Amino acid sequence: MDARNLATVATHHKLKKGSLGVWQLSGLSFANMAPAYSLFTTLGLVVAGVGFGAPLLFLLAGVATFFHVNTTAEFSRKCPSAGSYTCFISRSFGNHVGITVGIMYLFAWILLIASVFLVVGTWTQFTIKEILGVNTNWLILMVVFVGIGTWLCISGVTLSSRIAISLFVFEVIVLLIGSGFMIFSHVNYISLSPFSFGKLFSNFKGVGLAFPLAIYPFIGSSNAATMAEEAHKPHHSIRVAVFSAITLATILYVFCVYATIIGSKFDNHILTHATYPMISVAKYALGPYVWLFYVAGLTSTLSLVLVAINAAARVLYNLSKEGVLFKNLSNVHETYRTPYAALLLISIGALGVAVVIGLIFGPINAFNWTGTLGTIPLIIIFVIVNLALPVYFIRNHKDHFSVLFHLVFPILGCLIYLVPLYSTVEPGQPTPYNYFGLTTLAVILAGIIYSIYLVNRRFESLNLGLHVALED
C-alpha cells in the first residue's frame, strides 16, 4: 500500500464505504442531468436555432459529452476521490492549480445549487397553479423543500440516493410514455428528416447558437465521481456509471426531442413560441393526463436537489480534509456517516444566495443569472481536467497510456467546451451577463492568491490529491 492510500486509511473522517453500487451511481449521474426539466426549458431554444434538426443536435451533444465523461472515467480508474476534479487536477498540475480549481469549484457549486433551489420553488409554484389552480409562494416552497432535502442528505447517502433515484425513475417513465403517445398519435408524420446532417449544418450560425444549449442538459453526467468514497468497487463502478449515464441520457434526449417534433406535426410556431414546448405538444397526445408532465418536472427538480447537494458536499468535504478549507467541514455524522458540516454549509450558502437575489430581482432572473455565472467556472474546470488527463498518465502510468483515450478524447473534450464557454462570455451581452466573464476572472485571481498563501504558510498540512477511495 503506497503513501497516498495510507493517508486515506489513517483519516478519522470516513464516509460510509460500499453504500452505493454501480446502478445507484449511474442513477445519480443520470438524475443530476434532470432530464425532464432540462428538456422542458431548453428544447424551444434549440429548435429556434436549428429547427427540426434538434434531435440530431442532441445526439451530437451526447457524443461530444462522451469525450469529457471518458476523462472522468479514466481518472476514476486510477484515483477515484470525493474531490473528483480537484483531486485529478492536483495530481496532474500540483497544489497551486488544485487549490485555485477548488475555489472555482466551490464558487460554481454554490451558484448552481442556488439556481436549482430557485427552480424547485418556481416549478412547484407553477405545477400547483396548473393542476390545482391555487396560488402559492415560491419562496416558502423553496425553503421547505431545501430543508427536507438537506435533512434527507444528512440522514444517509443510501436513503437520499434511493429517494432521488425513485423520483428520477418516475420522470423517465413519464417522458418515455408521453413521447411514445406523441409518436403513435401522429404516425403519418414519422420521418427521418430531423436526422439530416445536410439540413442541420446548412445553418452554421444556428448550430453555433444552439449547440451550447444542447450541451447543458448533459453537464451533470460525471457527478458519480464525487461519491467515490461511498462507492462499491469505485475504480470499476464509477467508470461503468458515468458511461451508462451518458449513453442512456443521449438515447432519452434524442427520443423525446424527436417525439416532440413528430407530435407537433412539424409546427415550428408551437415549438418556438410556447413557454414549455414539450408540455404544449404533450397536451394534444395525453389530453387530461398532461398533468403527469408537470409532476415529472417537479420530481426532476426535487431529485436534482438531493443529488446536487450530495455531490457538492463531497467536494467541499474533501477540500477540507486535504487542508484547503476549515478542518471542521470534514466532520462526519457519527450515526449516518455523512459529511453533515459540508452539507449544511453548501445548503445554507446556496439558499442564502437564492433568497437574496430572488427577492431583489425575481426568481426567474435569479435562476438565469446564477445558473449562467455558475456554469462559466465549471466549464473552465472541465477544460483543465481534460488537459490534465494526458499529463497524469504520462507522468504516473506511462505503461497504460493510450493515444486515443488519454490524448485524442480529452483534446476533443477541451475543444467542445470552448463553444459553450465562448457563448457565455462573448462581448456585447446585456447587463449583467457582460460582467460574468470579469467576475469569473476575479474568482480565478482570488483562487491563485489563496493558493500562494496556503502553499507558503501551510505546506505541511496540505494533502491535495492524497485522499483517494480504496477498493473493497
Side-chain angles (χ1 to χ4, degrees):
M1 186 178 294
D2 61 25
R4 295 179 185 273
N5 289 339
L6 282 173
T8 304
V9 175
T11 183
H12 299 293
H13 301 274
K14 293 183 179 180
L15 302 177
K16 191 175 182 181
K17 186 164 180 58
S19 301
L20 303 172
V22 63
W23 292 112
Q24 288 170 305
L25 293 167
S26 301
L28 292 176
S29 273
F30 205 164
N32 211 113
M33 289 181 265
Y37 189 79
S38 295
L39 285 170
F40 294 166
T41 55
T42 62
L43 180 54
L45 297 171
V46 172
V47 173
V50 298
F52 302 129
L56 179 56
L57 192 68
F58 271 92
L59 175 61
L60 295 176
V63 173
T65 308
F66 169 87
F67 299 130
H68 173 69
V69 167
N70 169 77
T71 294
T72 303
E74 289 301 304
F75 266 120
S76 296
R77 185 161 64 96
K78 296 298 183 181
C79 53
S81 169
S84 66
Y85 299 142
T86 60
C87 172
F88 307 154
I89 291 169
S90 297
R91 287 193 166 209
S92 304
F93 296 133
N95 286 347
H96 285 293
V97 180
I99 294 169
T100 303
V101 165
I103 299 303
M104 293 169 62
Y105 216 176
L106 179 59
F107 175 79
W109 268 119
I110 289 177
L111 288 175
L112 289 172
I113 292 180
S115 72
V116 171
F117 290 172
L118 289 159
V119 165
V120 169
T122 54
W123 188 268
T124 305
Q125 181 188 45
F126 170 73
T127 300
I128 294 174
K129 175 65 175 178
E130 290 295 318
I131 296 176
L132 302 177
V134 177
N135 291 314
T136 51
N137 185 284
W138 67 270
L139 181 60
I140 295 174
L141 293 169
M142 178 180 72
V143 172
V144 169
F145 280 119
V146 169
I148 294 172
T150 304
W151 174 76
L152 288 171
C153 290
I154 292 174
S155 298
V157 67
T158 304
L159 173 64
S160 59
S161 297
R162 284 177 179 172
I163 293 174
I165 292 172
S166 297
L167 293 169
F168 158 74
V169 168
F170 174 82
E171 69 173 294
V172 171
I173 291 174
V174 171
L175 288 174
L176 290 174
I177 293 176
S179 297
F181 271 96
M182 290 182 206
I183 291 176
F184 292 121
S185 61
H186 299 88
V187 291
N188 293 334
Y189 290 89
I190 292 177
S191 166
L192 293 178
S193 61
F195 296 97
S196 169
F197 280 90
K199 289 185 178 179
L200 177 65
F201 289 104
S202 63
N203 179 10
F204 283 102
K205 183 178 180 181
V207 172
L209 293 172
F211 188 66
L213 295 169
I215 285 284
Y216 289 145
F218 292 96
I219 280 182
S221 56
S222 293
N223 275 357
T226 62
M227 313 305 290
E229 291 192 23
E230 294 143 297
H232 175 64
K233 296 184 178 180
H235 295 72
H236 167 73
S237 60
I238 291 175
R239 296 181 72 240
V240 175
V242 295
F243 280 130
S244 299
I246 187 60
T247 301
L248 294 174
T250 302
I251 294 171
L252 178 67
Y253 285 150
V254 172
F255 176 67
C256 291
V257 172
Y258 177 75
T260 304
I261 289 174
I262 298 300
S264 73
K265 297 184 289 189
F266 289 87
D267 188 331
N268 189 67
H269 185 271
I270 293 177
L271 295 173
T272 57
H273 287 75
T275 304
Y276 303 110
M278 192 171 184
I279 293 179
S280 296
V281 174
K283 288 180 180 178
Y284 296 101
L286 299 179
Y289 297 101
V290 72
W291 62 268
L292 288 169
F293 268 56
Y294 296 118
V295 178
L298 178 59
T299 63
S300 181
T301 57
L302 294 177
S303 177
L304 181 56
V305 166
L306 294 175
V307 295
I309 291 175
N310 269 333
R314 268 62 184 179
V315 175
L316 192 62
Y317 152 85
N318 195 75
L319 287 171
S320 171
K321 205 165 55 164
E322 295 185 338
V324 177
L325 302 174
F326 297 113
K327 194 68 175 178
N328 288 341
L329 291 176
S330 63
N331 288 343
V332 172
H333 197 285
E334 292 183 5
T335 303
Y336 303 124
R337 302 277 294 280
T338 53
Y340 70 91
L343 284 164
L344 287 172
L345 179 62
I346 204 74
S347 294
I348 293 172
L351 183 62
V353 171
V355 169
V356 172
I357 301 180
L359 287 176
I360 296 175
F361 299 104
I364 302 302
N365 284 330
F367 163 73
N368 291 332
W369 298 345
T370 55
T372 303
L373 181 55
T375 299
I376 298 173
L378 189 63
I379 293 177
I380 294 173
I381 293 170
F382 287 173
V383 172
I384 296 172
V385 78
N386 279 310
L387 293 173
L389 184 64
V391 175
Y392 173 77
F393 267 85
I394 290 172
R395 287 180 177 177
N396 300 283
H397 302 282
K398 196 169 185 178
D399 292 343
H400 296 161
F401 180 80
S402 164
V403 172
L404 180 63
F405 289 100
H406 304 141
L407 184 62
V408 176
F409 282 178
I411 288 176
L412 290 173
C414 288
L415 295 175
I416 287 158
Y417 281 118
L418 292 178
V419 177
L421 178 61
Y422 177 75
S423 72
T424 57
V425 298
E426 64 177 319
Q429 298 196 60
T431 304
Y433 296 96
N434 57 330
Y435 293 107
F436 287 177
L438 292 175
T439 302
T440 303
L441 180 60
V443 172
I444 294 172
L445 291 175
I448 293 172
I449 294 170
Y450 185 59
S451 73
I452 294 171
Y453 165 79
L454 280 187
V455 172
N456 290 340
R457 298 291 298 273
R458 297 169 53 187
F459 183 79
E460 293 182 358
S461 65
L462 289 176
N463 299 298
L464 267 75
L466 295 185
H467 294 88
V468 299
L470 298 176
E471 278 291 355
D472 299 340

